[in-house]
Amino acid sequence: MKKAMIIMGSQTDEAVMSECSNWLNWFGIQNDMIVASAHRNPDKVREHMVTAKDNGYGAVVAAAGMAAALPGVCAAYTSLPVLGVPLEGGLPGGVDALYSIVQMPAGLPVGTLAVGKAGARNAAVLVARIFALSDDAVARKLEEFKEKGYRM
């Protein structure tokens, strides 16, 4: 089974992104949380992305606030699906991060979710849907999730 990487620009983002990890755990998807900033340590981000597939990852959830370059930088260095979670921290409602993540150039997509905890949780569900295409155990958990009214 593939695992999911959750990468965030700052340790303070863990309060929100732990929601993604908790939901991935419920679906039975192994995941790792990594702190690496596209601005403060871009070489670390690059290294994680170019080795992600070889290290068993099947998807990347990248979270960032304000300028929110991290998801786009991740997408530039990997062919894995990258899901971006905009975080609050700059303009009210995280709209600056949302626009930064959603406005990627053609050919370099980042699947963009809602701002904050709802986005973190939905990123986990979307990873589960991607993995369920080739993993029957995850597919069964998705059906259970649906039967519970999309709740864990």
Side-chain angles (χ1 to χ4, degrees):
M1 170 194 259
K2 296 284 184 189
K3 56 186 175 176
M5 180 189 300
I6 302 168
I7 187 167
M8 58 199 126
S10 170
Q11 192 67 47
T12 59
D13 301 336
E14 189 173 353
V16 173
M17 295 314 295
S18 63
E19 292 291 320
C20 183
S21 181
N22 292 340
W23 283 49
L24 286 167
N25 289 336
W26 188 88
F27 284 109
I29 297 171
Q30 182 183 348
N31 60 92
D32 297 312
M33 294 181 79
I34 296 166
V35 176
S37 168
H39 299 112
R40 290 183 290 277
N41 39 17
D43 291 339
K44 183 177 178 182
V45 172
R46 181 190 173 283
E47 182 63 24
H48 280 295
M49 291 304 108
V50 299
T51 61
K53 193 171 184 179
D54 289 340
N55 287 329
Y57 294 101
V60 174
V61 176
M66 299 175 67
L70 183 59
V73 170
C74 290
Y77 285 115
T78 185
S79 59
L80 295 174
V82 176
L83 308 177
V85 178
L87 301 174
E88 292 191 43
L91 297 177
V95 69
D96 50 348
L98 175 64
Y99 287 150
S100 293
I101 296 172
V102 79
Q103 286 297 112
M104 290 298 297
L108 200 62
V110 172
T112 308
L113 288 301
V115 176
K117 287 185 179 183
R121 293 170 180 158
N122 277 340
V125 176
L126 194 50
V127 168
R129 288 181 173 188
I130 293 167
F131 286 10
L133 294 171
S134 60
D135 187 317
D136 291 339
V138 176
R140 285 190 295 275
K141 287 299 278 189
L142 271 171
E143 285 305 312
E144 179 184 342
F145 183 69
K146 182 179 173 188
E147 289 169 10
K148 289 181 166 194
Y150 300 98
R151 292 186 179 92
M152 296 188 318

